[in-house]
Amino acid sequence: MPPPTAPKSGDALFASVERVNAELFTLTYGAIVRQLLTDLEEVEEVNKQLDQMGYNIGTRLVDEFLAKSNVSRCADFKETADVIAKLGFKMFLGVTATVTNWDAEGTSCSFVLEDNPLVDFVELPDTCQGLQYCNVLSGVIRGALEMVSMKTEVTWVRDMLRGDDAYEMRVKLTKQVPEEYPYKDDD
Amino acid sequence: MASAAIYSLFIINKSGGLIYYKDYGSAGRTDTNDSLRLASLWHSMHAISQQLSPTPGCAGIDLLQADNFDLHCFQSLTGTKFFAVCETGAQNIEVLLKVIYELYTDFVLKNPFYEMEMPIRCELFDLNLAQVIQKDRVALLGR
């Protein structure tokens, strides 16, 4: 057997995938959020819908990440978080996140984004103060992790659109489903 | 006698259902029921092999060698299995299966009308898969 190929670096990974114009990406996302606001009217509903859309994206996108990054199974949640921050965010968004604020058990942490391409031109109006504009991102993380047997809860704690100094996403591992047969997830 | 190294290719979802089957000139086993049964049997055998392993952390059978064929299996971390039945001693099949996994992420999962875990009916996937297999054959002829 040939040795498994080493994981790619974030930059190499970013260079190897196809990219679109950043403005097209940002404006398309803006148009989607705007349309959801028109269709659903309630800000809370829009948050939910964005999260659901992100989840659906995440469940598919995780395979592309695994196929193209050559990462192997992570030993623990800490390693998983590092891989997402350094490689996952880089591959799909072109930025990296920092992982901080670990709790004592090592089951929840924060991803801090200094730079977020989704919000380049966005200013939240007064009528949309409850809107979690980037909720699609937290949905993606939740969906992707669920496909590799980790149930998580993802929430936003800091949001630059609301005047904070960075974007901070809190990820809490609630349940790790065993992968080996017999599956013990029925209880 | 087929010149290809690969006799057939299977893709099974995480619950053991066959979602893709392609025959490349094996001795005429094309029955759909048979291929479905084989896929779910392989899924179970793969799970049993993990249980039999004396060391923890075994990911299941990678290669099964028989007198007249090799079976190479690659399981993604999300649980989808890709396995190919090949000539004995066929080389680089692990690499080929990785390439097929990439094609699956590009042309199956990114197709918005593909339902997860369901049988794959994507023309673009068929087309690109055929090209990769063809390239593999050309490389074989040149050796």
Side-chain angles (χ1 to χ4, degrees):
Chain A
M1 281 283 278
T5 32
K8 291 183 183 167
S9 72
D11 290 322
L13 198 53
F14 185 57
S16 69
V17 292
E18 287 208 46
R19 274 151 288 159
V20 295
N21 180 296
E23 244 174 69
L24 172 69
F25 173 70
T26 308
L27 297 179
T28 308
Y29 184 68
I32 292 173
V33 176
R34 204 54 232 275
Q35 188 63 42
L36 285 175
L37 277 167
T38 314
D39 290 348
L40 300 170
E41 291 166 3
E42 296 284 331
V43 168
E44 254 327 293
E45 284 303 307
V46 176
N47 289 343
K48 250 189 243 163
Q49 194 62 37
L50 285 173
D51 181 71
Q52 185 59 41
M53 285 164 67
Y55 175 83
N56 293 341
I57 295 172
T59 53
R60 292 170 179 242
L61 155 154
V62 62
D63 267 308
E64 180 177 18
F65 174 70
L66 294 172
K68 297 188 179 168
S69 65
N70 295 331
V71 295
S72 46
R73 185 179 296 274
C74 293
D76 52 17
F77 189 55
K78 278 206 161 100
E79 192 184 345
T80 310
D82 274 336
V83 166
I84 294 172
K86 297 281 157 328
L87 302 179
F89 274 100
K90 186 74 191 176
M91 176 170 171
F92 293 108
L93 279 185
V95 297
T96 52
T98 28
V99 187
T100 54
N101 298 341
W102 279 101
D103 68 349
E105 296 90 53
T107 54
S108 69
C109 65
S110 291
F111 290 123
V112 176
L113 287 170
E114 307 280 341
D115 183 19
N116 181 349
L118 282 182
V119 297
D120 280 349
F121 312 108
V122 181
E123 293 170 34
L124 270 195
D126 292 339
T127 50
C128 298
Q129 284 306 313
L131 180 67
Q132 299 285 3
Y133 189 82
C134 300
N135 234 13
V136 77
L137 294 184
S138 42
V140 169
I141 303 270
R142 185 167 67 86
L145 285 177
E146 191 165 316
M147 294 306 277
V148 284
S149 332
M150 281 175 261
K151 292 258 190 200
T152 50
E153 277 166 21
V154 187
T155 46
W156 288 96
V157 288
R158 277 193 289 164
D159 187 334
M160 278 162 99
L161 292 177
R162 297 161 181 218
D164 296 318
D165 52 349
Y167 288 91
E168 179 175 345
M169 194 195 295
R170 190 89 194 139
V171 182
K172 184 170 187 293
L173 179 68
T174 52
K175 190 174 168 193
Q176 192 140 19
V177 186
E179 288 174 63
E180 274 162 37
Y181 185 85
Y183 307 108
K184 296 189 182 79
D185 57 349
D186 312 322
D187 44 46
Chain B
M1 148 95 192
S3 63
I6 287 202
Y7 294 139
S8 52
L9 170 75
F10 295 72
I11 303 179
I12 51 187
N13 66 18
K14 61 171 65 129
S15 28
L18 182 68
I19 55 171
Y20 194 83
Y21 170 69
K22 186 93 186 161
D23 192 291
Y24 296 99
S26 58
R29 186 198 301 116
T30 41
D31 187 291
T32 321
N33 281 330
D34 279 349
S35 52
L36 280 168
R37 196 161 39 241
L38 282 173
S40 60
L41 273 173
W42 178 254
H43 180 74
S44 316
M45 276 174 59
H46 196 268
I48 292 168
S49 73
Q50 292 176 9
Q51 291 276 290
L52 285 175
S53 163
T55 51
C58 167
I61 304 173
D62 285 332
L63 169 62
L64 179 129
Q65 289 183 306
D67 281 350
N68 47 4
F69 72 91
D70 284 2
L71 190 156
H72 292 261
C73 180
F74 165 72
Q75 181 174 26
S76 75
L77 290 177
T78 51
T80 311
K81 280 191 262 302
F82 299 77
F83 66 96
V85 184
C86 314
E87 283 178 3
T88 48
Q91 297 293 308
N92 290 329
I93 301 297
E94 306 83 45
V95 181
L96 183 71
L97 288 175
K98 279 290 262 293
V99 173
I100 294 172
Y101 180 35
E102 280 190 39
L103 291 181
Y104 166 76
T105 64
D106 277 338
F107 298 104
V108 178
L109 294 180
K110 283 187 197 168
N111 179 351
F113 296 103
Y114 171 72
E115 298 273 351
M116 299 277 283
E117 317 287 329
M118 296 305 275
I120 298 169
R121 292 198 186 80
C122 303
E123 237 176 86
L124 278 174
F125 178 68
D126 285 334
L127 212 70
N128 283 275
L129 180 65
Q131 274 174 7
V132 165
I133 301 280
Q134 183 65 33
K135 237 196 243 161
D136 201 59
R137 284 185 195 184
V138 172
L140 271 176
L141 290 175
R143 77 185 165 185

